Amino acid sequence: LHCFSGDLDMMKKSIDLGFCISFTGNITFKKSDLPSVVKETPMQNILLETDAPWMSPIPHRGKRNEPHNVRLVAEKIAEIKSISLNEVIKMTTQNAKNLFKLFLMILAFVTLSATAYSQGTTTVYDDDYSDEVSEEISIDLYPKTFGIGPIFGTNTIVDTYNDGEDVAYEGLFAIGGLINYRILDYLTLSASYTYSKNSKQVEEFDVDPSIHQSIEITSMWSPNPHNRVNFYGLIGASFMMNKYGRHIYLDDGPDYKSFVYSNQPALNTGLGFNVNINMGTAGIMAVMAEWRLNFVLRKVKIGFDPRKDPEKDPDAGKPVELTSFFSIPRIALVWYPKF
């Protein structure tokens, strides 16, 4: 469980289900209740992470997090459990090896790549001497031109405020659709739309849920476009349409608006792969899986601070600025009809 921030009961239920618990810089925060969770978590289930570039541990909170700060997380675990730093390092390293099975994953990736490569080649024989190979050529066994399909994913949103604090909302359901057009063998243009609703703000800050929509125009570049499995990198531009919710128990006034709207340009990038299924005369069905990131290019200014209680903190109504980052692992089913 990445960047664990649950309570003791959630940790115990997760352990019973066979999960590992990954801790990061938030266990060092002064007001955090996580040290009590760390203390009760078995060492054989603990992993370390930085969650960089966010969630910097004390004394670097509010600054850009870096991978070397993971040592501070390890030191905090050693302090909480009253064991040596070397014990933490040794045990969490072994836990990572056991969980991710790094050698087997690398071997599987190499095998998959080799299998995928072989799918895009065929052998041509000489007409007169059919038992002698004349040449081997690469052909497109999965021709695709125009495709359309739905998108499903989970959105993680990280808001960075102008005081340096990061607030993350994970596991927000995202849904949408896309249109793909392959203009070159190795280049596909994609236009997509996604929608997600941040209901976790209601639980954490008692504000109306925010709505986040994106329109993305993306170029997808594949080094093996003719194969059954295509790997690709992507880069493009996005237009983010954000609607930020205010505190739901504020008194309505003549100028009161329950939402603040902000439209922002963004850069999208990521990695992915798709598995092609030849459906004969019906065309090609591609199962796409990708990790897409959206970096908002300028700050959003809102006339209130959703982190603060307007009934207790007079600064809650003061304008604040924030930048947002969106991370969406997503899948799509794209149908390429045969023309």
Side-chain angles (χ1 to χ4, degrees):
L1 296 180
H2 156 72
C3 190
F4 188 83
S5 56
D7 58 16
L8 194 61
D9 183 59
M10 180 181 177
M11 179 275 289
K12 291 179 178 179
K13 290 179 179 178
S14 301
I15 295 296
D16 290 341
L17 291 171
F19 282 94
C20 287
I21 307 296
S22 183
F23 294 110
T24 185
N26 54 357
I27 70 171
T28 69
F29 297 169
K30 293 179 181 178
K31 295 183 179 180
S32 174
D33 295 325
L34 286 171
S36 60
V37 179
V38 174
K39 188 172 183 179
E40 297 298 323
T41 305
M43 276 304 301
Q44 63 266 27
N45 294 90
I46 292 180
L47 298 174
L48 303 178
E49 64 171 291
T50 56
D51 204 29
W54 302 280
M55 211 69 73
S56 293
I58 300 296
H60 304 296
R61 188 176 183 183
K63 301 178 182 178
R64 176 185 173 88
N65 201 3
E66 301 289 346
H68 62 76
N69 288 339
V70 75
R71 180 183 179 89
L72 298 174
V73 180
E75 290 175 350
K76 185 65 177 179
I77 292 176
E79 173 190 327
I80 294 170
K81 287 188 166 291
S82 300
I83 59 178
S84 70
L85 176 61
N86 282 339
E87 286 182 78
V88 176
I89 294 173
K90 181 179 179 180
M91 195 69 194
T92 54
T93 299
Q94 187 58 49
N95 292 344
K97 289 180 179 179
N98 293 342
L99 174 64
F100 296 113
K101 297 179 175 59
L102 296 179
F103 175 77
L104 293 179
M105 286 183 66
I106 294 172
L107 181 62
F109 178 80
V110 172
T111 304
L112 178 62
S113 299
T115 303
Y117 180 80
S118 67
Q119 296 297 327
T121 61
T122 189
T123 301
V124 177
Y125 292 91
D126 185 276
D127 289 339
D128 297 327
Y129 303 96
S130 59
D131 59 336
E132 295 184 13
V133 177
S134 174
E135 59 178 328
E136 189 174 79
I137 61 173
S138 177
I139 65 171
D140 192 352
L141 302 179
Y142 306 94
K144 297 174 291 186
T145 304
F146 174 84
I148 187 170
I151 298 170
F152 307 94
T154 58
N155 194 359
T156 294
I157 303 173
V158 180
D159 292 332
T160 302
Y161 289 82
N162 51 0
D163 60 7
E165 182 178 1
D166 299 321
V167 179
Y169 308 96
E170 299 180 348
L172 308 176
F173 179 69
I175 191 170
L178 60 77
I179 298 174
N180 287 351
Y181 182 67
R182 185 176 175 184
I183 59 175
L184 297 171
D185 278 357
Y186 53 84
L187 173 60
T188 298
L189 292 183
S190 178
S192 63
Y193 165 83
T194 55
Y195 169 97
S196 58
K197 183 177 182 179
N198 186 1
S199 298
K200 294 193 174 183
Q201 284 186 309
V202 180
E203 305 168 7
E204 189 163 353
F205 299 122
D206 207 12
V207 300
D208 285 308
S210 295
I211 305 298
H212 300 277
Q213 303 174 80
S214 67
I215 296 175
E216 301 162 312
I217 304 297
T218 307
S219 60
M220 302 188 299
W221 303 80
S222 174
N224 61 339
H226 297 167
N227 302 343
R228 175 173 299 175
V229 179
N230 310 131
F231 299 94
Y232 59 89
L234 56 92
I235 187 168
S238 303
F239 185 66
M240 313 299 294
M241 297 170 287
N242 303 310
K243 187 167 70 169
Y244 293 93
R246 298 191 67 167
H247 289 277
I248 60 178
Y249 49 82
L250 280 176
D251 292 333
D252 289 348
D255 298 321
Y256 173 67
K257 294 181 180 179
S258 60
F259 292 96
V260 172
Y261 297 85
S262 177
N263 299 326
Q264 300 288 328
L267 173 71
N268 67 71
T269 186
L271 296 170
F273 69 91
N274 56 253
V275 179
N276 301 303
I277 303 171
N278 196 322
M279 301 172 62
T281 57
I284 304 295
M285 178 65 72
V287 182
M288 298 177 61
E290 64 183 32
W291 179 36
R292 186 169 295 213
L293 309 174
N294 272 285
F295 300 89
V296 175
L297 299 179
R298 65 187 185 201
K299 292 183 178 180
V300 176
K301 187 174 183 179
I302 56 179
F304 62 95
D305 193 335
R307 300 168 297 171
K308 298 177 180 178
D309 187 338
E311 294 186 344
K312 300 177 181 179
D313 193 334
D315 291 335
K318 292 183 178 180
V320 293
E321 290 184 335
L322 58 89
T323 55
S324 297
F325 165 82
F326 300 83
S327 170
I328 309 182
R330 65 191 207 178
I331 61 172
L333 300 176
V334 188
W335 175 51
Y336 293 87
K338 190 173 183 179
F339 295 102

